[in-house]
Amino acid sequence: MPEGDCTTYRAKYGTAVSESEAEALVTGICFKTGPPRITGVELEWLIHEPHRLHLPVSPARLEAAYAALRALPLHSLITVEPGGQLELSSLPAASLMECVSAVSADLSLVRDRLAALDLTLTGLGADPWRPPSRILHRPRYDAMERYLDRAGPAGRRMMCSTASVQICLDAGHEEPGPLGYGRRWRLAHLLGPVLVAAFANSPVQDGRSTGWRSTRQAVWASIDPGTSGAPSLDAEPRTAWARHALDAPVMFIRAGGDEEAPWTVPEGLTFRTWARSGGPRPPTRDDLDYHLTTLFPPVRPRGHLELRMVDAQPGEHGWIVPLAVTSALFDDPQAAETAYRALKPLAERACPPGAPAAPRSPLWLDAARHGLADPELREAAAACFAAAAEALPRTGASTEVQEAVAAYAERYVARGRCPADDLLDGHRDGHPYDHEHEKGILR
């Protein structure tokens, strides 16, 4: 490339990155180790009219609501998902209670503002009534839709009709042990299906029971595996993730300069192949960073660990229970060791040789379909909730949070149930969504 062309290229796209540079960058940024003490949460919500939850809210009305919410003095970042789901992303907090307090205050403001607009947040993992309909029409989402459509209709449902509780935790210590990043990485993948089962909350789609406790998880398991699959757990985590990221398909290539220009959606192009071939143009560091945002495994390393497998929860405070349980099991050394030992028997089903990786492995699919009706998952969940309950006082959790976890364990875990079972009971009685369900555990 002539010098003049190089200058133009850098101004338009940035400096090109080679295959070895890309692998080194991913290895360096995916697990940032240090004392595990930072917690965060990302909450996705469906938005409906109170008592008219089966009716769609118009895009114009949603846009007006988002504008009103963005004017609020919130600690959390507000973003909008392609189908109109609202997401609140907390700032990193030094403790569980700091995170709970900040996000609870933000949610109170959000709910009050939405109530004034005759709208409400609904905690469900998947919309039970409305077909997927995208309200955001931007080059990123246009290209993402074209890419995901190649694997079938699940991609559109994932984009437009699902909502989750995403729990963010420090990667861990550099050294081995219960709080080391290697152990925490493996613990996250073993605990993942237990969290899917215990908090499954999306058994209805298009007004009908789907046969899954977590239809949301079933949807994620149906999209392109190169985008949603987990890497091998047999290799060292940094190496495994870097290899996985470079070998994953490139979802799209952004247009340079013109933000409204359509993006290219290549077919069968991995980032590694792109870096080697340099076509249709050499990838840059910005392209690599963007590529990493298009990978959606159940556990995503982004410097910290992002656990993405929990359905959105009912009630104003239902999200606190999965956050509290997971934080306790990761950040208390005794609880982390207890949970790891309790979960090890699940490893054969979680990642058997020759089987697809999560979220398509047998255990992950059983968790999404059966919830805690699966005996092994129920036993593991009971052990993990007990370990978390013992650890929460040591981590500084409030009495209210401790009582919420205990109440959830009694109401669901001890009985081999999950919130989806409440919805299915109502669905069989002719009421697919009950406002009593939305009240949740914490009142």
Side-chain angles (χ1 to χ4, degrees), residues 34-102:
R37 57 183 178 85
I38 303 297
T39 299
V41 70
E42 298 175 13
L43 304 176
E44 296 172 345
W45 303 87
L46 306 175
I47 296 184
H48 297 106
E49 285 188 20
H51 310 293
R52 290 159 57 93
L53 305 181
H54 61 291
L55 297 179
V57 180
S58 71
R61 194 172 172 194
L62 287 174
E63 288 294 344
Y66 304 145
L69 295 180
R70 291 189 182 103
L72 294 174
L74 303 178
H75 295 91
S76 304
L77 173 68
I78 280 190
T79 52
V80 179
E81 295 297 307
Q85 311 97 305
L86 186 72
E87 180 174 11
L88 265 69
S89 302
S90 75
L91 295 175
S95 69
L96 167 66
M97 291 313 302
E98 181 181 308
C99 181
V100 168
S101 297

Side-chain angles (χ1 to χ4, degrees), residues 66-253:
Y66 304 145
L69 295 180
R70 291 189 182 103
L72 294 174
L74 303 178
H75 295 91
S76 304
L77 173 68
I78 280 190
T79 52
V80 179
E81 295 297 307
Q85 311 97 305
L86 186 72
E87 180 174 11
L88 265 69
S89 302
S90 75
L91 295 175
S95 69
L96 167 66
M97 291 313 302
E98 181 181 308
C99 181
V100 168
S101 297
V103 176
S104 295
D106 285 347
L107 280 171
S108 180
L109 292 175
V110 167
R111 288 182 183 278
D112 287 347
R113 182 59 57 90
L114 287 177
L117 301 172
D118 196 30
L119 294 171
T120 188
L121 299 178
T122 304
L124 287 168
D127 196 307
W129 307 280
R130 300 173 300 181
S133 178
R134 188 158 58 92
I135 70 164
L136 295 185
H137 295 279
R138 300 172 183 167
R140 172 184 171 93
Y141 297 124
D142 294 344
M144 182 180 291
E145 184 177 275
R146 295 202 306 274
Y147 172 86
L148 293 172
D149 278 350
R150 292 171 179 167
R156 295 195 182 200
R157 288 205 180 267
M158 178 274 285
M159 292 175 65
C160 302
S161 302
T162 63
S164 67
V165 175
Q166 297 178 18
I167 300 161
C168 301
L169 303 165
D170 266 3
H173 288 296
E174 191 70 28
E175 300 79 13
L179 302 185
Y181 78 92
R183 172 67 70 84
R184 286 163 76 87
W185 175 247
R186 190 166 183 82
L187 175 62
H189 286 87
L190 293 177
L191 180 63
V194 174
L195 297 177
V196 170
F199 297 105
N201 187 36
S202 51
V204 177
Q205 179 178 282
D206 298 331
R208 299 185 297 275
S209 172
T210 63
W212 298 83
R213 279 358 186 248
S214 177
T215 301
R216 173 188 170 274
Q217 190 64 28
V219 166
W220 279 93
S222 298
I223 69 173
D224 171 45
T227 298
S228 63
S232 169
L233 295 184
D234 296 332
E236 195 278 329
R238 288 190 177 107
T239 302
W241 177 250
R243 184 184 302 129
H244 178 80
L246 265 63
D247 289 335
V250 174
M251 186 174 285
F252 40 66
I253 298 176

